[in-house]
Structures are given as C-alpha cells and as structure tokens.
Amino acid sequence: MSEDLAPVKPPVKTFRKGALVRVNREAYEGSVESEASDPNPPKYIFEGPGEVLAVKAGCAQIRWRMPVPDVWLPLDQLEAWS
C-alpha cells in the first residue's frame, strides 16, 4: 500500500529587525522584483550588508548603508551577511 507524500517545502528563512543581509543573486535574477527593476541591479545589494528594518508578510524592508531608498524584498531572496 503506497502513501501519498506531501512535497517537502524548503525551510522558511526568518530574519529579525537589525539583522544584516544581502540579496542572493540566484534567487533574485528572474524574479518579479528583478523584472520590475533596473536590468542591471546595483552591486551593493549582492555584497551587503543591508539592515533589516521590518519583517511583514514574508518580506523584509532593507536599508542599505548609502543614500538610496529602502526596499522591500521577499525573505527567500535574502541571505545572512557574513
């Protein structure tokens, strides 16, 4: 007797306010966010660090350490900065 197994979902990333992050290039490229933005994204988003200001509904508001606007990005496109 075979059982139907539910597909395994990847673990949900969680970040807290104040966490330092950067954008994962592979997750970002081809996403809705990248399609709605400049075709040549700035290098600093992939190098980091950006600081998480808020987390809401699976997205994080990121502030970069330069005079640019804050952005909201899905948590699955972010990784911890190291």
Side-chain angles (χ1 to χ4, degrees):
M1 189 174 200
S2 66
E3 296 180 26
D4 292 330
L5 299 176
V8 177
K9 294 182 180 179
V12 176
K13 294 181 186 179
T14 58
F15 294 102
R16 293 186 141 157
K17 181 178 177 180
L20 298 179
V21 296
R22 65 180 173 196
V23 175
N24 179 308
R25 186 180 297 272
E26 291 78 28
Y28 179 78
E29 290 178 348
S31 68
V32 172
E33 294 77 17
S34 70
E35 297 296 324
S37 301
D38 188 339
N40 299 315
K43 291 180 185 179
Y44 65 82
I45 70 171
F46 304 116
E47 295 168 355
E51 180 182 357
V52 174
L53 299 179
V55 177
K56 189 173 187 179
C59 293
Q61 183 181 19
I62 311 298
R63 175 169 290 160
W64 306 101
R65 295 181 175 179
M66 51 190 50
V68 295
D70 300 341
V71 296
W72 284 90
L73 289 171
L75 294 174
D76 64 352
Q77 293 179 13
L78 301 175
E79 59 188 25
W81 180 75
S82 55

